[in-house]
Amino acid sequence: MELTCLSKGDGFHYPPCHMLNLCGFRILIDCPLDLSAIKIFSPVPYDVGFEASEYPSSDVSLDAQDPVQKKQKLERQLTPADLVCAEPWYKTVKALHLWEASLIDVVLISNPMGLLGLPFLTQNPGFCAKIYMTEATAKIGQFMMEDLVSMHKEFRCFYGPGDSSYPGWIKDLDSEEVPALLKKVVFGESGDDLGSWMRLYSLDDIESCMKKVQVVKFAEEVCYNGTLIIKALSSGLDIGACNWLINGPNGSLSYLSNSILVSLHARNFDINGLKGTDVMVYSDFSCLQSAEVTENGCISPNTDNNYLSTISDNKDEDLAASLLNTEDSLEEMEKLAFVCSCAAESADAGGSTLITITRVGIVLQLLELMSDYIESSSLKVPIFVISSVAEELLAYTKTIPEWLCDQRQEELILGEPSFDHLKFNKDKKIHLFPAIHSPNLITSWQEPCIVFAPHCSLRLGPSVQLLQRWRGDPKSLLVLEDGISSGLALLPFRPVAMKVLQCSFLSGIRLQKLPTLLSVLQPKIVLVPDAVSQRIDLSGMKINSILSFSENETLHVPRIADNTSVEITTDLASKLSWRKLRQRENFGIARLKGGLLMEDGKHRLVTGLEQEESSGKARPLRYWGTVAQEPLLGALLKMGIKGSIEHSTSENGLENSIIHIANPSSGLIETSEMCTAIVAEDKNVASQILQGIDEVLDGI
Amino acid sequence: MAIDCFVLGAGQEIGKSCVVVTINGKRIMFDCGMHMGCDDHNRYPDFSLLSKSGDFDNVISCIIVTHFHMDHVGALPYFTEVCGYNGPIYMSYPTKALSPLMLEDYRRVMVDRRGEEELFTTTHITNCMKKVIAIDLKQTIQVDEDLQIRAYYAGHVLGAVMVYAKVGDAAIVYTGDYNMTTDRHLGAAKIDRLQLDLLISESTYATTIRGSKYPREREFLQAVHKCVAGGGKALIPSFALGRAQELCMLLDDYWERMNIKVPIYFSSGLTIQANMYYKMLISWTSQNVKEKHNTHNPFDFKNVKDFDRSLIHAPGPCVLFATPGMLCAGFSLEVFKHWAPSPLNLVALPGYSVAGTVGHKLMAGKPTTVDLYNGTKVDVRCKIHQVAFSPHTDAKGIMDLTKFLSPKNVVLVHGEKPSMMILKDKITSELDIPCFVPANGETVSVASTTFVKANASDMFLKSCSNPNLKFSNSTQLRVTDQRTSDGVLVIEKSKKAKIVYQDEVSELLHEKNHVVSLAYCCPVKAKGESDNDVDLIKQLSAKILKTVSGAQIHESEDCLQVGSFKGSLCLKEKCMHRPEISSCSEAVFLCCNWSVADLELGWEIINVMKLNLDNTCKVKGDLL
């Protein structure tokens, strides 16, 4: 097995991308888009007739900003004029372009964000891989791609049909004056990222891509090529997001994508399904984003050791229980509640709130909390959701009990809506509009209000226009997702007077939980990113080996099982001709028959066609042991062959015996410890001697 | 190993479906239904047959309910709450959501209207449903270490599933009720091609073969239309879920198209509530409905209103869906009592009516009066229409499914004995699959698949990945691939069997290889001729090629090789392998050696060389 990490990704919106080589099959896991890169483009300018006021901006931040970003800001102040004024291109995984698309056998997509780059791959005429993803991932992912295309349309309208072959804007970026930050985004650290920029796909491309997809349910077993049994198991990250379990003839492999152990909305992380695999690929890079690491640098080994000792004392169930404690989810809940209260505060003060979060799960929960909040308070502010797919997406979330967490499932089954806001939707407290220029929007528009509008990059979609409208209003609030590097994101809107709330939500397993998780899952070999193995000491774990992998390097993983299992059908087993061995009563040996097939990921030996031919006169082809001369003489005598023994020593010093045969025709048997040669002119005599040898020597 | 299929209910009858299957020691109960036509203890399956002591938890590994009809789920609250079963129960999401509605509706009908003692209470239903684990289609559930179950789409009603269960190497499918054609709102049954030891199939329509259902749908619509056009009232007694929605979709659609304003009523809020579930569970409906639901949810009926008791005697035409179906009791029967005497009215009976119900009596003949349960008689002057399309598969569907799955055995349940017997003969004769029709209380035992499991060595698998074609040319050319015959299965007592490549056997047994070969130093040419040796080898190999088919000959200066056969020019005065008496004593010899694997080949080559020598000797003799 081989693992190549093509990209370690960047947070929730840009999941990692890996290539696996398993049983000779190439498996691509996830095909994301680096949407944060489009921030180098300038948004479509809107003349909203609202002068930006001179209030100083007050950033409210939940978590510390990325220190790297801060440093870069110091180097050289970017101005809005530095941004590229052109129809944006999109940045895909660079290393993926180095692989021949036609040689990929399987594509596994673990969450909707991992799907966004797939149409680029399926456009390739040689592409013929089988694509698997969960039904919900396909549905939500398709919504997101369609939304992306529809938001991008504004740029097309603005800049007109451009040259599709080569983007002119790249030429302009290659000069000295261009700020280093922009150059880094465009050309990459090593300067060779240029090839990863692609022009956006069309709706037709999305459609033809989705036609190639085979959707699966959670825990549905699909068999690829009779060899690999692939199973999607809930990861808890979002609706439909999954981890993968792949069983093949050479053992089992589990792939852990970014997971959330206790989810507030999606189906919980499926622990049981992932237990005891031979190889586990831990691809959760979320620790790179999380604050605790950047603050402390590394988790101190002391606390870590304590942790490990408690692990070994605990029982399996307790461990699993400790993993599933609700601490994290409560924290998430508090964050959501905080966002709500901030929004309510600004509404109280007469300001509007713009929420640009695009994580489906977070949006659903925020909508729910907001509408509950508004319902219970005296506040009367409308909620607008402006997105080309808002209506379909919300309608879809009404019909998916299978993909939700237990509590919401229960509610659905009891006949209540899975998300509280769905009933408000009916009461017209939440207004859904496909676009900001929708005809009914202006009639129901009312400020202050709370608006959910994509896109989180602040370059696409209705959020751009609304931000331009409210940026000068200090009473208004902008809710951003963290990891968006607010500096660059807000650049074209500066000066920003409105409050900015930047929040980060859990998008993976916390590093401290990894040791516990590993001791519950007990894989034989674990592959972890070098970023993880540098930050946490896993050497105390009871795991055969822990290997670390890094971006753009291929890691070869040795096979675990020495022997591969083969299943033999009973009717074939009963047809085998068994031989008993001399002096070994416990053994039975038989030469095989039939055909070896690969079925359901297992080698199977089944009845073949050539039975009748080989059945009768099967004779041994391999012998072992030594020939005892006296019994051989006796056996030959029974067949009427007389011989006499003569001992000799051959030139290389080995003991040699020769049995001379005189009757019925001449011949001799030359025998030593290792070999026996039958010399006879007559074929029949030779066969008879062979028969005699069969009687005194074990063979098959 | 064997599979025992113990039929507790729905053996040679329709009603109280309950089949208990034991696979390699694991016992699974499929469905837990009640008989709608029985009032006595016979209405439930006889659970005491499973365990005398009443300890069901250790006897049954799990219960799987295929869909929410009363004859499949009706006895579940009784079994869990009264009999005390506490093990796992599995249902699809829709079944879990809708079963309590069905059970509650039935309980209310039985208790409130017929005045019977309570069989189970509302609390029983709630507590029972709490134990139910909801499953999704195709989700593979590991019930315990050995038992694996999986649900497949069955059509029939919303959330109906077929169940695949596997223990070790043995696997079965229990179909529940299924429909092999798509209908108004549901898709057709869909299942993978599985390797099965046993298929347990329903056989409600074991001999019926149906054509297209569109003419029959039209018949139904016209009958209802005619009735309301004439000012009559149409009564459609049906259970809250399933048929009601299907027929309502039909009528609602027809009403739209024909612009009819006659009201369609649902007898209780219950069915309206049920429609809400249908809207939520849209992913379980047919592809057609799924695609449309974004724009218009087909379960948003435009013309449907709630019915009020006072409307029974209101003038004017209407259509009423009333529960329960089959006119077995309750509100539908009450309405029937009032509406049946008028010749303007219509009673449309959808689906199957169990023997003993008023519905069955109406369908059986054309009675002018009908006895109700409490002894009162009702004059029947209204029209009776039997809805002739059904969510059950027909005989062709059963045969198609059986043929598709090709199980080793078939058991038929949920049908009427005479037609089941006909179907049984058909399956046995046409598909050549043993078929059984057990009655209630009977057990069918069939053999189960087991595989011998062995660990194979890499060398063996490697040798198997290359073709090892053998050509034989006895009467006609035959090509066989015998790559597996290089493998050897070694079994040692109390250890796992091993498969190794033939060369590895001795190592496994801690023995040394012993090579047995044949040797013969063969005279090939009389001495004293001028030809050099290279030509001799060439000449020989050409001869061999001519006689031995498919031989691959490698030759060098003084030796030649075919397979394991090696011959090299023997320059020794006296060779051990040379026969003492030779016809041409002064000759060139080829010292040959070949292994037992190429026994025949070796002799063939020797023969060729001998013939060659004889010929040259003869030629020489002639010359002399």
Side-chain angles (χ1 to χ4, degrees):
Chain A
M1 187 219 118
E2 273 172 10
L3 174 79
T4 315
C5 174
L6 302 181
S7 150
K8 60 183 193 303
D10 180 22
F12 177 87
H13 292 279
Y14 186 34
C17 175
H18 296 272
M19 186 72 84
L20 267 178
N21 192 336
L22 199 65
C23 296
F25 297 112
R26 288 234 172 88
I27 304 173
L28 172 70
I29 304 182
D30 288 331
C31 190
L33 269 191
D34 183 3
L35 282 174
S36 69
I38 63 162
K39 279 187 298 223
I40 62 156
F41 293 95
S42 177
V44 175
Y46 293 101
D47 185 20
V48 284
F50 193 95
E51 276 303 306
S53 43
E54 293 301 310
Y55 293 108
S57 67
S58 56
D59 285 34
V60 186
S61 184
L62 269 185
D63 284 296
Q65 266 187 25
D66 199 340
V68 183
Q69 295 292 348
K70 275 181 187 161
K71 228 181 280 164
Q72 275 160 353
K73 251 191 273 174
L74 291 174
E75 281 170 11
R76 146 112 150 70
Q77 206 65 49
L78 278 166
T79 61
D82 286 328
L83 296 178
V84 180
C85 286
E87 183 190 336
W89 281 42
Y90 292 81
K91 202 175 176 186
T92 55
V93 175
K94 175 184 61 175
L96 188 56
H97 294 277
L98 303 176
W99 294 73
E100 171 61 42
S102 60
L103 295 181
I104 301 172
D105 298 298
V106 180
V107 178
L108 304 178
I109 303 292
S110 10
N111 62 53
M113 305 312 297
L115 175 60
L116 296 188
L118 194 60
F120 289 125
L121 190 64
T122 53
Q123 273 172 359
N124 193 313
F127 179 86
C128 57
K130 195 107 184 162
I131 308 168
Y132 297 103
M133 65 185 77
T134 61
E135 227 174 72
T137 297
K139 196 89 185 177
I140 294 173
Q142 192 173 356
F143 284 144
M144 303 192 87
M145 291 194 288
E146 284 167 2
D147 196 29
L148 188 64
V149 169
S150 99
M151 289 189 291
H152 184 84
K153 222 165 32 184
E154 283 177 33
F155 282 102
R156 287 243 163 111
C157 293
F158 186 77
Y159 291 108
D163 178 16
S164 61
S165 58
Y166 185 77
W169 52 268
I170 281 179
K171 240 181 294 170
D172 308 334
L173 278 172
D174 220 2
S175 66
E176 283 294 312
E177 305 99 71
V178 175
L181 180 62
L182 284 196
K183 274 193 169 174
K184 200 188 121 197
V185 174
V186 177
F187 301 108
E189 308 254 4
S190 45
D192 54 356
D193 275 11
L194 204 57
S196 63
W197 288 90
M198 305 281 280
R199 208 178 143 86
L200 191 64
Y201 38 75
S202 65
L203 284 178
D204 289 342
D205 294 329
I206 298 173
E207 203 192 326
S208 76
C209 167
M210 295 314 286
K211 267 186 193 152
K212 293 176 181 146
V213 169
Q214 184 177 345
V215 293
V216 296
K217 307 261 190 181
F218 278 146
E220 175 180 347
E221 287 179 352
V222 284
C223 193
Y224 174 76
N225 208 8
T227 313
L228 300 177
I229 297 186
I230 301 170
K231 209 163 150 180
L233 296 167
S234 162
S235 76
L237 181 69
D238 210 339
I239 294 168
C242 66
N243 296 317
W244 296 97
L245 181 72
I246 308 173
N247 272 305
N250 295 338
S252 54
L253 178 136
S254 53
Y255 176 88
L256 242 85
S257 62
N258 290 20
S259 302
I260 293 181
L261 297 172
V262 182
S263 174
L264 290 167
H265 66 291
R267 196 59 176 270
N268 274 344
F269 180 76
D270 189 339
I271 290 188
N272 289 333
L274 294 170
K275 275 183 186 166
T277 52
D278 292 325
V279 180
M280 175 172 133
V281 181
Y282 182 80
S283 85
D284 193 328
F285 286 88
S286 61
C287 65
L288 294 179
Q289 268 78 41
S290 57
E292 76 244 32
V293 178
T294 44
E295 276 162 19
N296 306 338
C298 183
I299 289 163
S300 73
N302 270 338
T303 54
D304 198 20
N305 281 344
N306 288 339
Y307 208 70
L308 286 178
S309 64
T310 53
I311 285 169
S312 48
D313 297 341
N314 281 340
K315 281 204 172 135
D316 202 39
E317 300 93 67
D318 301 337
L319 281 178
S322 80
L323 272 182
L324 298 178
N325 67 12
T326 50
E327 204 180 293
D328 281 348
S329 60
L330 284 178
E331 204 177 297
E332 291 299 294
M333 208 59 206
E334 277 169 26
K335 284 184 204 167
L336 292 169
F338 182 67
V339 174
C340 274
S341 64
C342 287
E345 248 172 60
S346 14
D348 261 339
S352 298
T353 303
L354 173 63
I355 299 169
T356 62
I357 292 168
T358 38
R359 270 174 79 167
V360 174
I362 303 286
V363 170
L364 289 175
Q365 290 174 67
L366 272 177
L367 267 177
E368 178 179 50
L369 275 176
M370 295 264 186
S371 41
D372 277 348
Y373 200 94
I374 290 168
E375 180 76 356
S376 60
S377 72
S378 57
L379 213 58
K380 288 284 167 280
V381 281
I383 298 175
F384 295 97
V385 184
I386 307 172
S387 154
S388 62
V389 291
E391 190 166 359
E392 281 175 284
L393 187 66
L394 289 185
Y396 179 66
T397 55
K398 279 189 241 181
T399 60
I400 45 168
E402 303 90 335
W403 309 93
L404 300 179
C405 65
D406 290 345
Q407 185 211 338
R408 290 184 198 275
Q409 240 178 57
E410 281 302 313
E411 277 167 19
L412 264 182
I413 281 175
L414 289 176
E416 282 162 29
S418 51
F419 290 94
D420 285 353
H421 61 263
L422 295 172
K423 46 182 186 246
F424 296 105
N425 195 3
K426 221 184 271 167
D427 306 342
K428 287 287 165 216
K429 276 181 190 143
I430 295 178
H431 307 267
L432 307 177
F433 294 105
I436 204 144
H437 47 74
S438 304
N440 298 328
L441 184 118
I442 206 72
T443 55
S444 47
W445 188 259
Q446 174 191 334
E447 280 184 45
C449 56
I450 296 167
V451 182
F452 288 79
H455 181 266
C456 55
S457 64
L458 304 184
R459 292 294 179 275
L460 292 165
S463 64
V464 176
Q465 242 167 310
L466 291 167
L467 192 57
Q468 268 160 351
R469 180 179 174 80
W470 289 329
R471 62 180 171 165
D473 179 9
K475 291 184 299 233
S476 292
L477 174 71
L478 171 67
V479 182
L480 278 179
E481 250 174 290
D482 196 25
I484 289 301
S485 71
S486 58
L488 188 56
L490 287 173
L491 185 66
F493 305 100
R494 285 192 191 282
V496 179
M498 70 192 295
K499 287 172 282 182
V500 179
L501 175 64
Q502 200 169 5
C503 33
S504 78
F505 295 99
L506 198 61
S507 62
I509 296 170
R510 285 194 192 281
L511 213 48
Q512 302 96 308
K513 298 229 169 185
L514 182 58
T516 328
L517 182 69
L518 288 181
S519 49
V520 171
L521 296 182
Q522 291 189 326
K524 296 195 183 75
I525 296 180
V526 186
L527 314 186
V528 292
D530 50 0
V532 169
S533 56
Q534 281 155 19
R535 283 176 168 82
I536 191 163
D537 180 23
L538 294 170
S539 53
M541 306 296 306
K542 281 186 217 149
I543 289 169
N544 290 1
S545 65
I546 298 171
L547 306 171
S548 75
F549 61 89
S550 44
E551 204 173 16
N552 289 323
E553 268 174 36
T554 300
L555 178 67
H556 184 82
V557 183
R559 224 175 81 190
I560 292 219
D562 289 337
N563 287 312
T564 316
S565 183
V566 172
E567 293 184 342
I568 307 167
T569 54
T570 25
D571 59 327
L572 178 70
S574 64
K575 276 184 202 152
L576 296 177
S577 41
W578 290 94
R579 268 171 214 273
K580 276 272 169 199
L581 297 182
R582 258 166 287 274
Q583 291 151 6
R584 285 173 193 267
E585 278 160 17
N586 287 343
F587 278 90
I589 61 171
R591 201 166 264 281
L592 291 176
K593 288 177 183 175
L596 190 71
L597 300 180
M598 183 66 96
E599 227 174 34
D600 293 335
K602 283 172 193 138
H603 290 290
R604 244 173 224 165
L605 203 60
V606 298
T607 324
L609 294 166
E610 75 290 65
Q611 287 312 301
E612 66 294 338
E613 200 189 7
S614 57
S615 56
K617 41 169 181 156
R619 53 156 304 108
L621 301 174
R622 292 290 186 279
Y623 295 92
W624 53 89
T626 47
V627 174
Q629 286 126 21
E630 294 298 336
L632 176 60
L633 277 185
L636 290 176
L637 202 58
K638 266 187 221 157
M639 289 181 279
I641 299 170
K642 277 189 197 135
S644 58
I645 307 172
E646 178 195 306
H647 289 278
S648 73
T649 315
S650 72
E651 49 262 43
N652 41 15
L654 286 173
E655 190 85 2
N656 245 3
S657 311
I658 290 170
I659 300 173
H660 288 281
I661 311 270
N663 200 9
S665 70
S666 77
L668 62 88
I669 307 166
E670 193 182 3
T671 172
S672 70
E673 206 185 329
M674 301 288 288
C675 54
T676 298
I678 300 161
V679 185
E681 195 181 0
D682 185 31
K683 189 180 160 186
N684 291 333
V685 175
S687 327
Q688 274 178 317
I689 296 172
L690 259 182
Q691 260 177 48
I693 289 177
D694 285 351
E695 269 177 48
V696 296
L697 200 61
D698 280 331
I700 188 80
Chain B
M1 291 291 207
I3 297 173
D4 293 332
C5 172
F6 177 42
V7 179
L8 267 184
Q12 301 177 356
E13 63 164 3
I14 293 173
K16 61 168 176 182
S17 284
C18 186
V19 178
V20 179
V21 182
T22 315
I23 318 168
N24 295 346
K26 297 281 167 191
R27 222 175 213 198
I28 311 153
M29 181 186 281
F30 294 100
D31 284 336
C32 191
M34 78 183 333
H35 201 294
M36 307 287 281
C38 299
D39 282 341
D40 49 6
H41 66 276
N42 271 329
R43 89 175 101 205
Y44 288 142
D46 189 357
F47 295 120
S48 64
L49 294 173
L50 292 174
S51 163
K52 290 247 152 47
S53 64
D55 170 24
F56 295 107
D57 291 356
N58 290 318
V59 181
I60 289 172
S61 305
C62 70
I63 298 180
I64 304 160
V65 175
T66 57
H67 62 281
F68 58 70
H69 278 159
M70 287 307 288
D71 58 334
H72 293 260
V73 73
L76 192 66
Y78 172 77
F79 189 52
T80 61
E81 304 310 306
V82 181
C83 300
Y85 171 77
N86 263 318
I89 305 161
Y90 294 93
M91 290 181 189
S92 67
Y93 281 92
T95 309
K96 184 177 175 181
L98 299 170
S99 291
L101 302 190
M102 284 301 267
L103 288 163
E104 182 56 31
D105 185 43
Y106 186 76
R107 189 197 65 82
R108 217 172 31 225
V109 165
M110 286 299 138
V111 177
D112 298 355
R113 306 235 192 271
R114 223 198 259 176
E116 273 183 34
E117 58 170 322
E118 278 200 325
L119 296 162
F120 44 79
T121 62
T122 310
T123 341
H124 282 158
I125 298 173
T126 331
N127 288 342
C128 166
M129 294 317 287
K130 270 186 200 150
K131 296 173 190 167
V132 173
I133 303 163
I135 57 173
D136 200 358
L137 287 179
K138 293 201 174 177
Q139 185 185 357
T140 308
I141 307 259
Q142 208 74 40
V143 176
D144 55 36
E145 222 163 278
D146 307 310
L147 173 58
Q148 204 180 57
I149 58 167
R150 197 183 301 153
Y152 288 96
Y153 195 74
H156 189 59
V157 289
L158 195 75
V161 292
M162 304 191 193
V163 186
Y164 166 80
K166 185 182 176 196
V167 181
D169 301 319
I172 70 153
V173 160
Y174 175 83
T175 64
D177 293 354
Y178 61 101
N179 190 0
M180 295 292 277
T181 51
T182 47
D183 71 11
R184 274 290 138 175
H185 67 304
L186 297 171
K190 207 175 158 196
I191 194 163
D192 294 336
R193 201 179 284 269
L194 301 158
Q195 289 185 351
L196 299 178
D197 294 305
L198 176 65
L199 170 72
I200 305 170
S201 172
E202 68 131 323
S203 50
T204 320
Y205 295 97
T207 50
T208 320
I209 291 184
R210 285 190 293 260
S212 162
K213 61 177 190 275
Y214 293 105
R216 278 181 301 258
E217 283 184 0
R218 203 159 49 234
E219 247 170 58
F220 163 74
L221 290 170
Q222 276 162 357
V224 177
H225 191 181
K226 208 171 131 198
C227 164
V228 293
K233 294 172 162 51
L235 170 68
I236 307 171
S238 74
F239 289 100
L241 302 157
R243 285 337 280 293
Q245 278 74 21
E246 191 195 346
L247 296 178
C248 197
M249 267 177 100
L250 258 179
L251 282 176
D252 199 56
D253 199 42
Y254 188 74
W255 256 225
E256 286 286 292
R257 273 188 288 135
M258 307 298 283
N259 200 18
I260 301 171
K261 295 288 172 229
V262 176
I264 302 173
Y265 293 113
F266 267 24
S267 74
S268 57
L270 179 89
T271 325
I272 301 275
Q273 194 189 347
N275 291 344
M276 195 215 72
Y277 279 104
Y278 268 73
K279 279 188 245 171
M280 169 186 92
L281 298 164
I282 207 94
S283 61
W284 291 73
T285 56
S286 69
Q287 200 58 39
N288 189 20
V289 174
K290 263 191 268 185
E291 277 161 15
K292 275 195 291 188
H293 98 275
N294 276 339
T295 47
H296 165 65
N297 197 316
F299 298 106
D300 273 328
F301 301 122
K302 292 187 195 78
N303 301 294
V304 174
K305 298 180 183 81
D306 262 334
F307 192 70
D308 191 78
R309 188 168 290 274
S310 61
L311 290 168
I312 295 181
H313 300 292
C318 70
V319 178
L320 171 66
F321 284 90
T323 56
M326 307 182 192
L327 290 173
C328 57
F331 190 64
S332 61
L333 194 63
E334 196 188 325
V335 176
F336 174 74
K337 211 158 62 188
H338 295 295
W339 291 4
S342 165
L344 286 178
N345 294 345
L346 169 83
V347 175
L349 290 160
Y352 188 87
S353 286
V354 165
T357 59
V358 174
H360 187 258
K361 284 176 207 161
L362 291 178
M363 276 207 227
K366 291 226 182 300
T368 46
T369 54
V370 161
D371 288 318
L372 300 188
Y373 299 101
N374 47 14
T376 49
K377 281 184 197 293
V378 169
D379 290 333
V380 182
R381 284 194 212 96
C382 66
K383 289 179 225 58
I384 309 289
H385 177 85
Q386 190 182 348
V387 177
F389 46 97
S390 156
H392 287 275
T393 178
D394 62 357
K396 188 176 175 298
I398 300 173
M399 290 300 282
D400 286 348
L401 183 80
T402 314
K403 201 171 169 188
F404 173 76
L405 289 172
S406 298
K408 299 214 176 77
N409 301 281
V410 176
V411 163
L412 296 178
V413 293
H414 200 280
E416 284 155 334
K417 195 178 174 185
S419 46
M420 286 166 95
M421 288 306 179
I422 295 169
L423 183 64
K424 175 195 159 166
D425 289 342
K426 211 172 158 196
I427 290 174
T428 325
S429 59
E430 282 181 22
L431 303 176
D432 200 19
I433 299 172
C435 181
F436 307 90
V437 184
N440 282 347
E442 284 179 7
T443 302
V444 172
S445 284
V446 298
S448 70
T449 310
T450 42
F451 287 109
V452 178
K453 299 200 175 51
N455 282 332
S457 73
D458 286 348
M459 205 164 169
F460 168 70
L461 291 174
K462 211 169 186 180
S463 82
C464 276
S465 62
N466 300 317
N468 178 10
L469 299 174
K470 293 228 166 91
F471 301 89
S472 51
N473 206 356
S474 47
T475 48
Q476 62 196 60
L477 181 69
R478 284 188 57 178
V479 185
T480 49
D481 188 349
Q482 296 186 320
R483 56 183 101 175
T484 52
S485 62
D486 289 342
V488 175
L489 181 63
V490 180
I491 289 180
E492 191 181 350
K493 245 177 214 165
S494 72
K495 276 193 184 160
K496 197 172 174 186
K498 279 184 188 139
I499 294 176
V500 291
Y501 189 65
Q502 52 189 4
D503 289 345
E504 296 175 301
V505 180
S506 54
E507 196 185 325
L508 191 72
L509 297 170
H510 307 293
E511 292 272 9
K512 281 197 179 119
N513 268 330
H514 192 99
V515 182
V516 176
S517 58
L518 290 101
Y520 180 56
C521 196
C522 182
V524 282
K525 202 180 77 172
K527 219 171 190 171
E529 281 181 47
S530 55
D531 298 347
N532 68 34
D533 296 342
V534 179
D535 286 344
L536 175 68
I537 296 287
K538 277 208 177 126
Q539 191 191 335
L540 280 175
S541 72
K543 285 257 154 74
I544 293 166
L545 203 59
K546 225 183 269 172
T547 9
V548 184
S549 61
Q552 283 214 327
I553 305 171
H554 303 277
E555 48 189 271
S556 71
E557 231 170 273
D558 56 352
C559 59
L560 92 175
Q561 194 173 346
V562 187
S564 73
F565 182 95
K566 271 181 217 153
S568 52
L569 290 179
C570 188
L571 303 172
K572 283 186 225 162
E573 262 314 289
K574 204 175 170 212
C575 180
M576 281 276 285
H577 303 157
R578 196 175 298 164
E580 277 149 31
I581 322 129
S582 190
S583 48
C584 300
S585 52
E586 292 287 292
V588 175
F589 289 91
L590 194 69
C591 198
C592 304
N593 189 307
W594 66 99
S595 80
V596 281
D598 288 320
L599 191 64
E600 292 303 315
L601 176 79
W603 286 119
E604 259 180 80
I605 295 170
I606 295 287
N607 257 342
V608 171
M609 292 193 293
K610 274 185 180 167
L611 272 176
N612 181 43
L613 178 70
D614 286 351
N615 285 344
T616 49
C617 282
K618 232 180 259 166
V619 171
K620 214 191 276 172
D622 291 348
L623 282 177
L624 286 170

